[in-house]
Amino acid sequence: MPPRADDTRRTFRRSGYDSMATAQADLDKVRALLGIPGKDDAEDRTRIGDLLESVSASKAPIPDYEETKRKLYAGQSLISKLTVGEWLDSWLANKHGRPTAIACNENDIRLHLKPHIGHVPLNRLRVDHLVAMFNAIVERNMEIEENNTQRRAVVEALAGTPWKGRDNRARRKALKETLAQMPPFRRPAGAATRQRTRATLRAALNDAIAQQLITFNPAASVKLDPGKRPKALVWTAERIEQWRRTGEKPSPVMVWTPEQTGQFLDFVAEDRLYALWHLIAFRGLRRGEACGQGWDDTDLDQAVLAVSKQLVQRGREVYEDTPKTDSGARTVALDEDTVRVLKAHRKRQNRERLEWGEAWVNTGRIFTRENGEWLRPDAVTARFEKLVAMSGLPPIRLHDLRHGAATIALAAGTEMKVVQEMLGHSSITITSDTYTSVLPQVAKDAAEAAARLVPRARREGVRGTGGLTPGAPAGQRFGPVPAQPTPITKKAQVSV
């Protein structure tokens, strides 16, 4: 055995073999491991000695030759067994990219990967481990939904219990105690979340392969339910009635009709951020893009704005970033009404600047707080939701206002490619898949236009005439007889 780092001698001892052949086989394995580093490589020889000394003391199986050789050349620890959780922590700490993407990776690792497979040795991770993990996540979803349903029932009972009266007060107290003991509301890990979790693990394991830690990526072989993009549905009268009756939205993505959008804009006409709601409703900017839009990237004389920045929120932190894709950096044309609204907003902002004087914070943003500071994206969302509730309109998310801009543009006859560029989608497929549902009147007009393309000899609404045109002269009661095809002889058939 090579000496220790302090030059003290050491030996490898093992006993209890039932035959000379078995003992000789282990001795050959030890000698093979000792032969991996060169004779002049004192550092690696010491590392191999430390490994064998640890194996001898713990009576562990003799390490695999190829795996030990790979770890030695990669500069990895030969003694410790790297677990999936340890590798994920190391991978995340050295990962570079957008802070929002890294935050998503951190959530996937903290909430799903480490609790289920963090203890598994990295080189022992198999497909069946991942199948068991995702099955456990689905089972946990069922438990979360059941807990949410029970908590919602208690909340509704509490809301429906009057404040006055001894019995009512006792009931309210009991309901509050029940709520305190129940798990909080949680969002289930849907199909899209599971797909994203697998993508995070797959990326981490690909880097492990690149560093020769493993040779196989089990995440690439796991089959999951596809995370389907929800379809945008319009708030029709029937859907509004169902929502008022059940309290449930027909789809996670709901869009107002042009009339409903107009009602909302009329309702918020005096709101300080009216121009922001107007810009998103008609030109489809994302929340972060609208909050980050600067006057220097906006040319009202030419009626265009360039989307080049966005404000991103991570927890309580708000920072400036570029659009998340190359297609997100785009030029958006403005209509005359939007230009007029933005000019009025600029006048309001100038008045606020004069009122605040030296305390004004010059961020150069179009939409700011009263003192010029950045808007917090989450505060903008909260303000929008409050205004929607006050308006009495059916609920939509702030991002759905952007969906409404796309739907209205398509209804106005705008080509899909133009809508894709307006929204900043990286692919026209995303645009077409998301907005396959259009306004009901547009769909009806398309159906009528298709029906008008087919000429009919029979009047509409007449049935059972056998192809006759009622009221026509006797010799013209049938349409023109199509020419009979020339019979094909056997000879002609052969030549053909």
Side-chain angles (χ1 to χ4, degrees):
M1 290 278 285
R4 299 184 180 91
D6 58 359
D7 286 335
T8 57
R9 297 181 61 184
R10 54 185 167 186
T11 58
F12 185 97
R13 292 185 176 91
R14 178 158 296 189
S15 60
Y17 293 98
D18 55 1
S19 68
M20 179 67 73
T22 307
Q24 185 65 46
D26 274 3
L27 181 59
D28 291 342
K29 291 179 182 179
V30 172
R31 287 173 172 166
L33 292 173
L34 289 171
I36 294 177
K39 293 182 178 180
D40 297 333
D41 193 343
E43 181 180 353
D44 282 353
R45 285 178 58 82
T46 300
R47 294 179 61 197
I48 291 292
D50 292 341
L51 170 64
L52 292 175
E53 186 176 23
S54 172
V55 169
S56 177
S58 62
K59 300 182 180 180
I62 298 175
D64 179 73
Y65 175 85
E66 292 295 338
E67 181 182 355
T68 303
K69 183 178 179 179
R70 183 174 62 251
K71 287 183 176 181
L72 183 70
Y73 291 162
Q76 300 163 7
S77 173
L78 302 182
I79 299 177
S80 64
K81 288 289 186 180
L82 187 66
T83 64
V84 173
E86 292 169 344
W87 169 247
L88 290 174
D89 289 340
S90 173
W91 173 78
L92 189 65
N94 294 286
K95 184 175 175 59
H96 301 285
R98 301 177 66 87
T100 50
I102 294 177
C104 288
N105 295 149
E106 191 276 333
N107 285 335
D108 296 333
I109 292 172
R110 176 174 53 85
L111 297 176
H112 304 298
L113 296 176
K114 288 183 69 173
H116 289 94
I117 59 173
H119 63 284
V120 179
L122 182 62
N123 61 346
R124 303 287 184 182
L125 186 64
R126 298 292 180 263
V127 175
D128 56 347
H129 291 121
L130 305 187
V131 171
M133 176 184 71
F134 287 113
N135 287 341
I137 292 175
V138 172
E139 293 176 1
R140 175 60 176 158
N141 284 344
M142 299 172 62
E143 182 180 346
I144 290 174
E145 291 173 354
E146 182 179 354
N147 291 338
N148 289 348
T149 301
Q150 294 176 355
R151 186 176 182 87
R152 192 175 295 110
V154 176
V155 169
E156 292 175 355
L158 180 62
T161 303
W163 288 82
K164 296 182 179 181
R166 178 182 300 177
D167 293 341
N168 290 333
R169 288 195 296 270
R171 175 174 170 77
R172 292 183 64 86
K173 181 180 179 181
L175 290 173
K176 289 180 179 179
E177 291 175 352
T178 302
L179 277 178
Q181 298 174 0
M182 298 179 71
F185 283 116
R186 287 190 58 186
R187 177 184 294 180
T193 300
R194 297 194 293 273
Q195 288 281 357
R196 191 190 65 230
T197 300
R198 185 186 67 166
T200 297
L201 179 61
R202 186 172 182 174
L205 295 181
N206 280 338
D207 283 356
I209 292 176
Q211 296 189 27
Q212 298 183 346
L213 297 177
I214 55 176
T215 58
F216 169 68
N217 189 337
S221 301
V222 177
K223 304 299 182 182
L224 298 178
D225 294 335
K228 296 182 179 179
R229 185 181 300 272
K231 299 297 183 181
L233 297 180
V234 179
W235 273 118
T236 60
E238 293 77 12
R239 289 169 181 157
I240 294 176
E241 181 181 355
Q242 178 184 1
W243 163 70
R244 296 191 187 282
R245 185 174 64 254
T246 64
E248 297 180 358
K249 296 197 302 184
S251 170
V253 181
M254 298 302 299
V255 179
W256 282 333
T257 63
E259 293 78 13
Q260 292 164 345
T261 302
Q263 292 173 19
F264 174 76
L265 293 177
D266 289 341
F267 180 79
V268 299
E270 300 302 322
D271 187 72
R272 183 178 170 276
L273 294 179
Y274 169 76
L276 185 145
W277 316 130
H278 181 102
L279 184 63
I280 297 178
F282 283 98
R283 305 316 299 157
L285 267 66
R286 298 178 176 91
R287 179 187 70 173
E289 295 170 347
C291 293
Q293 187 65 31
W295 286 114
D296 56 343
D297 287 327
T298 306
D299 189 341
L300 296 184
D301 294 332
Q302 298 297 322
V304 295
L305 61 81
V307 178
S308 61
K309 303 180 186 70
Q310 63 171 338
L311 293 187
V312 181
Q313 183 166 351
R314 181 182 179 185
R316 299 298 300 172
E317 176 190 5
V318 179
Y319 59 92
E320 181 185 274
D321 201 354
T322 57
K324 62 180 182 179
T325 61
D326 292 339
S327 55
R330 62 198 187 278
T331 300
V332 178
L334 304 176
D335 58 278
E336 293 182 1
D337 192 37
T338 300
V339 170
R340 178 186 58 79
V341 168
L342 289 176
K343 287 182 177 180
H345 177 78
R346 185 165 57 184
K347 292 180 181 180
R348 176 202 289 265
Q349 191 179 73
N350 288 335
R351 291 195 300 268
E352 292 176 344
R353 181 185 292 109
L354 293 176
E355 293 173 359
W356 281 83
E358 295 182 356
W360 172 265
V361 181
N362 187 18
T363 59
R365 307 294 178 187
I366 296 180
F367 307 109
T368 65
R369 301 174 65 180
E370 290 84 348
N371 64 346
E373 291 180 349
W374 286 354
L375 287 173
R376 295 185 61 84
D378 62 349
V380 173
T381 296
R383 177 63 180 167
F384 175 78
E385 292 175 350
K386 181 177 180 181
L387 291 172
V388 172
M390 294 170 58
S391 70
L393 291 166
I396 66 170
R397 305 169 305 164
L398 178 57
H399 198 72
D400 294 339
L401 202 61
R402 163 181 160 88
H403 292 321
T407 306
I408 292 174
L410 291 171
T414 307
E415 294 183 1
M416 186 72 72
K417 182 64 177 178
V418 177
V419 175
Q420 173 207 342
E421 294 174 350
M422 179 186 78
L423 298 176
H425 284 162
S426 58
S427 169
I428 197 171
T429 304
I430 298 176
T431 312
S432 60
D433 286 350
T434 305
Y435 304 109
T436 51
S437 59
V438 295
L439 301 176
Q441 187 58 43
V442 176
K444 184 177 185 302
D445 293 343
E448 294 291 349
R452 287 194 296 269
L453 288 177
V454 181
R456 301 296 300 275
R458 188 175 64 195
R459 291 186 311 188
E460 295 181 2
V462 179
R463 297 291 184 269
T465 58
L468 299 177
T469 304
Q476 302 179 9
R477 296 182 68 186
F478 293 91
V481 179
Q484 297 294 324
T486 304
I488 300 178
T489 63
K490 290 184 178 181
K491 183 177 182 180
Q493 291 175 353
V494 172
S495 64
V496 172

